[in-house]
Amino acid sequence: MNFEEYAAKPILAAAGINVPKGILAHDPDAAADAAATLGPVVVKAQVPTGKRGKAGGIQLAQTADEARTHAANILGMTIATHVVEKVWVEELSDIAREFYAAVLNDPTTKSPVVMFSTEGGMDIEEIAVDTPEKLRKAPVDIRKGFDIAAARALVDGEALDGANEAIAETLVKLYEAYRANDAELLEINPLVLTGAGGVIALDCKFSLDDSGIKRQQEIAPNGTPDKLTELETRGEDLGIKYIELEGDVAVLANGAGLTMTTMDVVRHHGGNPANFCEIGGEAYTKATDGVKMVLDKPGVKSLVVNFCGAFARCDVMMEGFLTAWEELKPEIPVFFSIAGTGDLVAIKMLKDRMGVDPLPDMDAACKAAVDAAKGGAS
């Protein structure tokens, strides 16, 4: 779950990191009132995505009237598919230098990593590509944490205009906020050194690990859930795990792990999965809804069905699928891989009711579905 800036900055403030004063506004007049209170301000679009400045969603305003005009222009604009419905009106800061700081989950080291760069204000991707030597990283042993000594070592040797210690302390607080709030990412870009020598977080990007939502009931209501497509909303209403993708090979399998593996094999053979949809557990009782949902995605050209029986038996899942197929009568090539508990019964059911044999294994079934989607089989 992502958090917009106005909802993320209180997390930094609670950890003792300095943030500018700001007021949330939902209309131009409210933005003007905020500017009248704060003085010169920055009017910022509030959407759960980056690159707001490049899209024109961040504007400086010296007066209340300017703030009103900027808010009127920003509200309603679309940034990366998100429509701006509110703006954060923040007091203008005296910026002497800009830095980058973040803590995130690192799949390479399988640990949190604290990152710091003197190249603040840029996209982290640009920093990593253009000046990788300026992006410092410190993997964290979660048994030991990240203390002031580690933070000092991370910024050691950097010419930070006397702010080394203040920045090191900020990095420690950032890591503590990351840990305490079940973050996947907690980023400050830019982290600013002011003309008076203070260190302030001018922006904040916070992504909450979805598995931590139950533990973060105080902050979770402030997050912005991912926008669901019409089919994903239908899946959520039905209690079926469904994620819509951009490909044309529909995937139906039991268990999240098997479904993701099936998607990987589809990609291995040069295809593109159209969805993630698994019907294990109780979901097999909703097979008709599940199959219809998978096939309702525009552009689907083939379907691969991968059943691996364990607690969910192949024959029980096959009964649900066949009932759905006979009811819906779709005209689309479909390929099966069936193995595990109840597989022999399921295979016989498939032959008797559809006149179809399963492929020898998942690899063959996925390849056949990819070929069919490309027009090479049917």
Side-chain angles (χ1 to χ4, degrees):
M1 178 185 290
N2 293 317
F3 284 61
E4 296 168 3
E5 178 187 3
Y6 80 93
K9 278 186 172 172
I11 293 170
L12 298 182
I17 296 173
N18 295 323
V19 298
K21 295 178 182 177
I23 298 172
L24 191 65
H26 291 82
D27 59 67
D29 287 339
D33 291 342
T37 299
L38 298 171
V41 294
V42 184
V43 182
K44 301 182 179 182
Q46 294 301 287
V47 286
T49 186
K51 298 180 173 59
R52 293 173 297 163
K54 292 180 180 179
I58 298 179
Q59 300 291 337
L60 303 180
Q62 294 295 328
T63 66
D65 285 340
E66 286 185 7
R68 179 185 289 107
T69 299
H70 289 321
N73 292 333
I74 293 172
L75 290 165
M77 72 166 41
T78 300
I79 302 177
T81 75
H82 299 280
V83 178
V84 180
E85 298 179 344
K86 49 191 174 295
V87 293
W88 181 242
V89 183
E90 182 175 88
E91 64 180 355
L92 193 62
S93 297
D94 178 18
I95 302 173
R97 291 188 64 182
E98 295 184 348
F99 308 111
Y100 173 91
V103 188
L104 68 156
N105 298 343
D106 181 19
T108 302
T109 61
K110 296 181 174 60
S111 69
V113 61
V114 180
M115 303 199 303
F116 175 77
S117 176
T118 56
E119 299 295 303
M122 293 177 60
D123 294 332
I124 185 59
E125 294 84 0
E126 295 177 15
I127 299 173
V129 172
D130 297 338
T131 55
E133 72 281 0
K134 293 185 178 180
L135 181 59
R136 294 191 170 192
K137 302 178 181 180
V140 179
D141 183 337
I142 60 174
R143 297 167 297 182
K144 298 178 180 179
F146 185 77
D147 59 16
I148 190 64
R152 288 169 179 158
L154 185 60
V155 301
D156 184 46
E158 295 280 19
L160 305 180
D161 297 327
N164 292 58
E165 187 67 13
I167 289 174
E169 292 174 355
T170 298
L171 292 175
V172 172
K173 294 172 182 176
L174 187 65
Y175 176 77
E176 289 303 316
Y178 159 91
R179 185 190 60 80
N181 292 284
D182 287 299
E184 289 183 341
L185 167 69
L186 190 54
E187 176 186 87
I188 303 173
N189 189 25
L191 177 67
V192 163
L193 176 64
T194 68
V199 175
I200 299 178
L202 282 201
D203 195 5
C204 182
K205 182 183 294 184
F206 171 48
S207 296
L208 171 64
D209 185 337
D210 287 347
S211 63
I213 290 175
K214 292 181 180 179
R215 293 188 295 272
Q216 302 294 342
Q217 290 301 304
E218 288 189 13
I219 63 173
N222 299 323
T224 306
D226 291 338
K227 292 179 65 176
L228 301 180
T229 67
E230 181 181 345
L231 289 173
E232 288 170 339
T233 300
R234 191 196 307 178
E236 189 172 81
D237 292 342
L238 293 169
I240 297 175
K241 295 177 183 178
Y242 179 90
I243 299 173
E244 188 169 346
L245 304 174
E246 296 181 356
D248 53 13
V249 179
V251 175
L252 194 64
N254 64 292
L258 182 64
T259 305
M260 289 188 288
T261 301
T262 307
M263 293 162 57
D264 287 342
V265 177
V266 167
R267 292 189 182 97
H268 172 74
H269 287 292
N272 291 305
N275 64 276
F276 169 101
C277 185
E278 60 113 339
I279 61 168
E282 295 180 348
Y284 76 87
T285 61
K286 306 167 185 175
T288 298
D289 291 323
V291 173
K292 188 175 190 307
M293 187 164 55
V294 164
L295 298 181
D296 275 352
K297 181 185 181 301
V300 167
K301 297 178 181 178
S302 67
L303 169 64
V304 58
V305 178
N306 190 7
F307 290 157
C308 183
F311 294 109
R313 293 176 56 93
C314 288
D315 52 338
V316 175
M317 291 185 289
M318 182 58 71
E319 174 61 39
F321 175 83
L322 291 172
T323 299
W325 198 262
E326 291 163 353
E327 178 180 337
L328 298 172
K329 297 180 174 61
E331 295 182 2
I332 188 172
V334 55
F335 306 90
F336 297 85
S337 173
I338 303 170
T341 308
D343 56 356
L344 296 180
V345 177
I347 292 170
K348 184 176 186 305
M349 293 167 62
L350 182 62
K351 289 181 178 180
D352 290 346
R353 294 168 63 174
M354 284 187 66
V356 172
D357 289 311
L359 278 297
D361 52 36
M362 172 174 56
D363 187 75
C366 290
K367 184 179 186 305
V370 171
D371 288 343
K374 292 180 177 180
S378 62

